[in-house]
Structures are given as structure tokens and as C-alpha cells.
Amino acid sequence: MSKEEVFSDKNSLSDAQLKKWCQENNLRYNLVELENLEDAKSRFAFIFTGNESNEANKGNKQHWLFLDGKYIFDSYGNPKSYNLPEGFVIIQNEPRQLQQFNSTTCGEYCCAFYDFISKNKSIKPEDIGEEFSDEFGFTGNRSKNDKLVFEWFHGKD
């Protein structure tokens, strides 16, 4: 996998690819736009921050997040990046930011997180960020993290 693959818009996962991945892994697929988060009908859902800047995404558009009840996984890990409805919280990653800025692996991170939480239902929300990183070997080296999650996802094809 080259750096160009991880930073190429053509390799950014679409909602159709996320849906296909869920079907292949026997996981339920749900999608919600960030600005409509309060309307989420399922505990688990992929959250798309939107194609255009808006009040909810604070300009952080075209990014995937993942919903687990009231907890939200974000590979960038910055809770101040969005205007979340009351009661929703960003999971504390360890390290906080897993994904390199400008890489296109956010969808792969969300799939890895969904896969992880579906297999580890007893982990407490306050421990999930560290446990997830330990499982995949994520460190402060964001480029290495992106490579790990990209290869994990695409190795399953």
C-alpha cells in the first residue's frame, strides 16, 4: 500500500461500500447524517458529516464517524470538531488522534471499530478507545495507523 492510496479521494469509502462490508460481515447497516443525529433509529450507525459545511460539522465535511448508542467514534478524536446534540459524546481514543489529517481512511476506521465492538460487547465505554487501539496496534504514528487499518479492511476483500 502506497501513501498515494491512503491519501487518494478515489479510495475514500462510499456508503455503498460500507453497506456491502456490513452485509459481508453480518452486521447491520445504518446511516445517519451528522445534522440529523438525533433521528438515528439504531444503536449502531455510520455517521456522515455531510458534503457541505454546516453548523453540525463546523466545516469538517466528508468524514465518517460511527455511532454506538450515545457514544461516537471519530478517528480524529476531537470532540470540539462538531456540534453534537446533547447527550452524545465522542469516545476518547488512545492516542486521541488515530488518523493522519488528509488521509481517506475514516471509513476503514469506522468499519474496524464496528467489527471490534460487535465482538467485544463487555468493554466499558470509558475503556473502549484504549482497548480498540491495543487490538489493532495503533500508536501516535498516524501514518502507520492508517496503513494498518487500510490493510486490515482491504485484506478482507
Side-chain angles (χ1 to χ4, degrees), residues 49-85:
T49 61
N51 282 317
E52 304 297 327
S53 295
N54 59 40
E55 188 176 318
N57 67 28
K58 294 184 177 179
N60 297 298
K61 57 187 180 172
Q62 299 177 332
H63 182 60
W64 290 110
L65 308 169
F66 193 81
L67 177 67
D68 178 3
K70 67 177 185 171
Y71 299 99
I72 299 170
F73 169 77
D74 177 19
S75 52
Y76 290 136
N78 187 352
K80 296 180 181 179
S81 294
Y82 316 100
N83 281 321
L84 299 176

Side-chain angles (χ1 to χ4, degrees), residues 86-136:
E86 192 171 320
F88 290 90
V89 294
I90 298 286
I91 291 169
Q92 186 172 346
N93 297 334
E94 184 58 44
R96 189 190 85 181
Q97 184 179 338
L98 303 175
Q99 181 182 349
Q100 184 70 24
F101 284 121
N102 299 319
S103 80
T104 57
T105 56
C106 54
E108 286 90 342
Y109 277 104
C110 289
C111 290
F113 183 77
Y114 191 8
D115 183 68
F116 178 76
I117 60 174
S118 70
K119 294 175 180 171
N120 295 280
K121 295 178 172 105
S122 64
I123 298 175
K124 297 175 188 171
E126 59 269 18
D127 298 331
I128 198 84
E130 184 174 355
E131 296 281 341
F132 174 62
S133 288
D134 287 348
E135 177 76 15
F136 283 86

Side-chain angles (χ1 to χ4, degrees), residues 26 35 38 78 81 99 129 147:
N26 297 314
E35 63 185 350
E38 290 178 304
N78 187 352
S81 294
Q99 181 182 349
K147 181 178 180 185

Side-chain angles (χ1 to χ4, degrees), residues 33-51:
E33 292 269 342
L34 181 61
E35 63 185 350
N36 301 321
L37 186 57
E38 290 178 304
D39 299 332
K41 307 260 189 270
S42 177
R43 173 182 169 182
F44 301 116
F46 290 91
I47 304 168
F48 187 60
T49 61
N51 282 317

